[in-house]
Coordinates of all heavy atoms in Angstrom, one line a residue:
A17 N 0.8 -1.2 0.0 CA 0.0 0.0 0.0 C 0.9 1.3 0.0 O 0.5 2.3 -0.6 CB -0.9 0.0 1.2
H18 N 2.0 1.2 0.7 CA 3.0 2.3 0.7 C 4.4 1.7 0.6 O 4.5 0.5 0.7 CB 2.9 3.1 2.0 CG 1.6 4.0 2.1 ND1 1.7 5.3 1.7 CD2 0.4 3.7 2.5 CE1 0.5 5.9 1.9 NE2 -0.3 4.9 2.4
C19 N 5.3 2.6 0.4 CA 6.7 2.1 0.3 C 7.3 1.7 1.7 O 8.3 1.1 1.8 CB 7.6 3.2 -0.4 SG 7.8 4.7 0.6
R20 N 6.6 2.2 2.7 CA 6.9 1.8 4.1 C 5.7 1.3 4.8 O 4.6 1.5 4.3 CB 7.6 2.9 4.9 CG 8.9 3.4 4.3 CD 9.6 4.4 5.2 NE 10.9 4.8 4.7 CZ 11.7 5.6 5.4 NH1 11.4 5.9 6.7 NH2 12.9 5.9 4.9
A21 N 5.9 0.7 6.0 CA 4.7 0.2 6.8 C 3.8 1.4 7.1 O 4.2 2.5 7.5 CB 5.2 -0.5 8.0
V22 N 2.5 1.2 6.9 CA 1.5 2.2 7.3 C 1.4 2.4 8.8 O 1.4 1.4 9.5 CB 0.1 1.7 6.8 CG1 -1.0 2.7 7.2 CG2 0.1 1.6 5.2
H23 N 1.5 3.6 9.2 CA 1.4 3.9 10.7 C 0.1 4.6 11.1 O -0.1 4.7 12.3 CB 2.6 4.8 11.1 CG 2.6 6.2 10.6 ND1 3.3 6.6 9.5 CD2 1.9 7.3 11.0 CE1 3.1 7.8 9.2 NE2 2.3 8.3 10.1
Q24 N -0.8 4.9 10.1 CA -2.1 5.4 10.5 C -3.1 5.1 9.4 O -2.8 5.3 8.2 CB -2.0 6.9 10.8 CG -3.3 7.4 11.4 CD -3.2 8.8 11.9 OE1 -2.3 9.5 11.6 NE2 -4.2 9.2 12.7
I25 N -4.3 4.7 9.9 CA -5.4 4.5 9.0 C -6.6 5.3 9.6 O -6.8 5.2 10.8 CB -5.9 3.0 8.9 CG1 -4.7 2.1 8.4 CG2 -7.0 2.8 7.9 CD1 -5.0 0.6 8.5
V26 N -7.3 6.0 8.7 CA -8.4 6.9 9.2 C -9.6 6.6 8.3 O -9.6 6.7 7.1 CB -8.0 8.4 9.1 CG1 -9.2 9.2 9.5 CG2 -6.8 8.7 9.9
Q27 N -10.7 6.2 9.0 CA -12.0 6.0 8.3 C -12.9 7.2 8.5 O -12.8 7.9 9.5 CB -12.6 4.7 8.8 CG -11.9 3.4 8.5 CD -12.6 2.2 9.2 OE1 -12.1 1.8 10.2 NE2 -13.6 1.7 8.5
N28 N -13.9 7.3 7.6 CA -14.9 8.3 7.8 C -15.9 7.9 9.0 O -16.5 6.9 8.9 CB -15.7 8.5 6.5 CG -16.7 9.6 6.6 OD1 -17.0 10.2 7.6 ND2 -17.2 10.0 5.4
K29 N -15.9 8.6 10.0 CA -16.7 8.3 11.2 C -17.9 9.1 11.3 O -18.6 9.1 12.3 CB -15.8 8.4 12.5 CG -14.6 7.5 12.5 CD -13.8 7.7 13.7 CE -12.6 6.8 13.7 NZ -11.7 6.9 14.9
G30 N -18.3 9.9 10.3 CA -19.5 10.7 10.3 C -19.3 11.9 11.1 O -18.3 12.2 11.6
S31 N -20.4 12.7 11.1 CA -20.4 14.0 11.9 C -21.8 14.2 12.4 O -22.8 13.9 11.8 CB -20.1 15.1 10.9 OG -20.3 16.4 11.5
V32 N -21.9 14.8 13.6 CA -23.1 15.1 14.2 C -23.6 16.5 13.7 O -24.8 16.9 14.0 CB -23.0 15.2 15.8 CG1 -22.7 13.9 16.3 CG2 -22.0 16.3 16.2
F33 N -22.8 17.2 12.9 CA -23.1 18.5 12.4 C -23.6 18.5 11.0 O -24.2 19.5 10.5 CB -21.9 19.4 12.6 CG -21.4 19.5 14.0 CD1 -20.2 18.9 14.3 CD2 -22.0 20.2 14.9 CE1 -19.7 18.9 15.6 CE2 -21.5 20.3 16.2 CZ -20.4 19.6 16.6
S34 N -23.4 17.5 10.3 CA -23.8 17.4 8.9 C -24.1 16.0 8.4 O -23.6 15.1 9.0 CB -22.8 18.1 8.0 OG -21.6 17.3 8.0
T35 N -24.9 15.9 7.4 CA -25.2 14.5 6.8 C -24.3 14.3 5.6 O -23.9 15.3 5.0 CB -26.7 14.4 6.4 OG1 -26.9 15.5 5.4 CG2 -27.6 14.6 7.5
Q36 N -24.0 13.1 5.4 CA -23.1 12.7 4.3 C -23.7 11.6 3.5 O -24.5 10.8 4.0 CB -21.7 12.3 4.8 CG -21.0 13.3 5.6 CD -19.7 12.8 6.1 OE1 -18.9 12.1 5.4 NE2 -19.3 13.1 7.4
G37 N -23.4 11.5 2.2 CA -23.9 10.4 1.4 C -23.3 9.1 1.8 O -22.2 9.1 2.4
S38 N -24.0 8.0 1.6 CA -23.6 6.7 2.0 C -22.2 6.3 1.4 O -21.4 5.6 1.9 CB -24.6 5.7 1.7 OG -25.0 5.6 0.3
D39 N -22.0 6.8 0.1 CA -20.8 6.5 -0.6 C -19.5 7.0 0.2 O -18.4 6.4 0.1 CB -20.8 7.1 -2.0 CG -21.8 6.4 -2.9 OD1 -22.3 5.3 -2.5 OD2 -22.0 6.9 -4.0
A40 N -19.7 8.1 1.0 CA -18.5 8.7 1.7 C -18.0 7.7 2.7 O -16.8 7.8 3.0 CB -19.0 10.0 2.4
Y41 N -18.8 6.8 3.2 CA -18.3 5.9 4.2 C -17.5 4.7 3.7 O -17.0 3.9 4.4 CB -19.5 5.3 5.1 CG -20.2 6.4 5.8 CD1 -21.3 7.0 5.3 CD2 -19.7 6.9 7.0 CE1 -21.9 8.1 6.0 CE2 -20.3 7.9 7.7 CZ -21.4 8.5 7.2 OH -22.0 9.5 7.9
N42 N -17.4 4.6 2.4 CA -16.5 3.6 1.7 C -15.1 4.1 1.6 O -14.2 3.4 1.1 CB -17.1 3.3 0.3 CG -18.4 2.5 0.4 OD1 -18.5 1.5 1.2 ND2 -19.4 3.0 -0.3
L43 N -14.8 5.3 2.0 CA -13.5 5.9 1.8 C -12.7 5.9 3.0 O -13.2 6.0 4.1 CB -13.6 7.4 1.3 CG -14.4 7.6 0.0 CD1 -14.5 9.1 -0.3 CD2 -13.9 6.9 -1.2
F44 N -11.4 5.7 2.9 CA -10.5 5.7 4.1 C -9.1 6.2 3.6 O -8.7 6.1 2.4 CB -10.4 4.4 4.8 CG -9.7 3.3 4.0 CD1 -8.3 3.0 4.1 CD2 -10.4 2.5 3.1 CE1 -7.7 2.0 3.4 CE2 -9.8 1.5 2.4 CZ -8.4 1.2 2.5
L45 N -8.3 6.7 4.6 CA -7.0 7.3 4.3 C -5.9 6.4 5.0 O -6.1 5.8 6.0 CB -6.9 8.7 4.9 CG -7.7 9.8 4.2 CD1 -7.7 11.0 5.1 CD2 -7.2 10.1 2.9
T46 N -4.8 6.3 4.3 CA -3.6 5.7 4.9 C -2.4 6.7 4.8 O -2.4 7.5 3.8 CB -3.2 4.4 4.3 OG1 -3.0 4.6 2.9 CG2 -4.4 3.4 4.4
T47 N -1.5 6.5 5.7 CA -0.3 7.3 5.6 C 0.9 6.6 6.1 O 0.8 5.7 7.0 CB -0.4 8.7 6.4 OG1 0.8 9.5 6.2 CG2 -0.6 8.4 7.8
A48 N 2.1 6.8 5.5 CA 3.4 6.2 5.9 C 4.5 7.3 5.9 O 4.4 8.2 5.1 CB 3.7 5.0 5.0
V49 N 5.5 7.1 6.7 CA 6.6 8.0 6.7 C 7.2 8.2 5.3 O 7.5 7.2 4.7 CB 7.7 7.6 7.7 CG1 8.9 8.5 7.7 CG2 7.1 7.5 9.1
T50 N 7.4 9.4 4.9 CA 8.0 9.8 3.6 C 7.2 9.4 2.4 O 7.6 9.6 1.3 CB 9.4 9.2 3.4 OG1 9.4 7.8 3.2 CG2 10.3 9.5 4.6
D51 N 5.9 8.9 2.6 CA 5.2 8.4 1.4 C 3.8 9.0 1.4 O 2.9 8.5 0.7 CB 5.0 6.9 1.5 CG 4.6 6.3 0.1 OD1 5.0 6.9 -0.9 OD2 4.0 5.2 0.1
G52 N 3.6 10.2 2.0 CA 2.4 11.0 1.9 C 1.1 10.3 2.4 O 1.2 9.4 3.2

């Protein structure tokens, strides 16, 4: 997934202040040192 081991994964956890389309909950972020 990255050139180095992933050190953080972030999923969409929703918001109490706004509604989101169901498709938004299929997205997630990953990050690794020096690999954005």
Side-chain angles (χ1 to χ4, degrees):
H18 285 266
C19 66
R20 295 190 179 188
V22 174
H23 67 262
Q24 188 171 16
I25 304 173
V26 179
Q27 293 174 264
N28 186 348
K29 299 180 180 180
S31 171
V32 297
F33 303 105
S34 63
T35 57
Q36 302 179 40
S38 58
D39 290 348
Y41 295 98
N42 291 309
L43 305 177
F44 67 95
L45 294 167
T46 60
T47 184
V49 175
T50 73
D51 200 27

